[in-house]
Amino acid sequence: GESVGLHLPTLSVQEGDNSIINCAYSNSASDYFIWYKQESGKGPQFIIDIRSNMDKRQGQRVTVLLNKTVKHLSLQIAATQPGDSAVYFCAEKGWRGYQKVTFGTGTKLQVIP
Amino acid sequence: NAGVTQTPKFRILKIGQSMTLQCAQDMNHNYMYWYRQDPGMGLKLIYYSVGAGITDKGEVPNGYNVSRSTTEDFPLRLELAAPSQTSVYFCASSDRGSYEKLFFGSGTQLSVL
């Protein structure tokens, strides 16, 4: 069945350094891969997505990389700031018409001042 | 523009009680969803709706019911609450053609004792 998983449950990064959050997926039929950020006590917030026909997409201080060969997704955050401390979820959506978004278990990013 | 509004924020139920979690969105989104999030876990889809009058089951629908009489509102009903339903519940919405970009409410923390 579909599954979206994460390599590391917790990641500690020094402020100013770059962060890399990894995610493995198993559903080759997924059309979109998405990253969400969830701050403590809040609902998840959309960060960036990438379509399956792309291998890289950049946003503001974030880059998502998709490697379909090894079914791997990563989120890179440049110059990590204290406000980046949160749980990050990767998620995927199928391609056939309307498909639901399936979430992974999350990685907690801790930024050390 | 308030986005997605959920009420209440916190609730404690006794086993066997019933309650309705309210969700409203003011973005005129067709698609609405209910997820639950258990501690340290990702989000699991309970029910979703693709428009007023149309609802469908997600991954974990047992013990819940929904209705969608208007575009704006998508209440979630818990009948005969059980300890296994202790969780944080998130309502979300998305626009047609942008299904992967979910807008979440701030959640309802429910404890069943």
Side-chain angles (χ1 to χ4, degrees), chain A residues 73-92:
Chain A
L73 183 70
S74 69
L75 177 71
Q76 301 179 1
I77 304 174
T80 310
Q81 302 169 359
D84 295 325
S85 293
V87 176
Y88 289 82
F89 293 95
C90 64
E92 58 89 22

Side-chain angles (χ1 to χ4, degrees), chain B residues 20-112:
Chain B
T20 298
L21 280 66
Q22 301 293 342
C23 176
Q25 54 94 6
D26 61 0
M27 297 173 282
N28 201 33
H29 286 171
N30 288 89
Y31 298 86
M32 296 188 74
Y33 318 80
W34 275 104
Y35 285 88
R36 60 175 285 172
Q37 184 177 33
D38 297 328
M41 302 293 288
L43 289 84
K44 293 191 183 300
L45 183 64
I46 306 171
Y47 270 96
Y48 67 99
S49 169
V50 301
I54 306 170
T55 63
D56 207 348
K57 297 178 181 178
E59 300 172 76
V60 290
N62 291 344
Y64 307 95
N65 277 300
V66 294
S67 59
R68 183 100 181 267
S69 57
T70 66
T71 299
E72 294 77 20
D73 300 298
F74 191 40
L76 177 71
R77 179 79 177 164
L78 278 73
E79 304 281 2
L80 299 175
S84 61
Q85 293 179 304
T86 295
S87 189
V88 180
Y89 292 83
F90 289 100
C91 179
S93 70
S94 65
D95 202 1
R96 188 193 305 271
S98 185
Y99 313 120
E100 73 283 358
K101 188 173 183 178
L102 303 181
F103 292 81
F104 283 87
S106 56
T108 294
Q109 188 169 325
L110 176 67
S111 296
V112 182

Side-chain angles (χ1 to χ4, degrees), chain A residues 31-93:
Chain A
D31 186 33
Y32 278 94
F33 299 91
I34 315 119
W35 284 99
Y36 282 85
K37 172 186 180 182
Q38 186 177 26
E39 296 176 87
S40 181
K42 296 184 179 180
Q45 181 181 14
F46 175 91
I47 302 173
I48 190 168
D49 64 356
I50 186 168
R51 197 153 189 182
S52 59
N53 61 357
M54 301 171 65
D55 53 20
K56 181 179 180 178
R57 190 175 185 199
Q58 289 183 297
Q60 188 174 14
R61 278 202 309 120
V62 296
T63 300
V64 56
L65 299 177
L66 176 63
N67 185 331
K68 292 181 287 295
T69 303
V70 296
K71 296 181 181 177
H72 184 267
L73 183 70
S74 69
L75 177 71
Q76 301 179 1
I77 304 174
T80 310
Q81 302 169 359
D84 295 325
S85 293
V87 176
Y88 289 82
F89 293 95
C90 64
E92 58 89 22
K93 184 186 81 64

Side-chain angles (χ1 to χ4, degrees), chain A residues 94-109:
Chain A
W95 64 271
R96 193 183 297 276
Y98 167 74
Q99 289 288 329
K100 300 169 286 292
V101 175
T102 301
F103 286 80
T105 53
T107 292
K108 184 176 182 179
L109 176 65

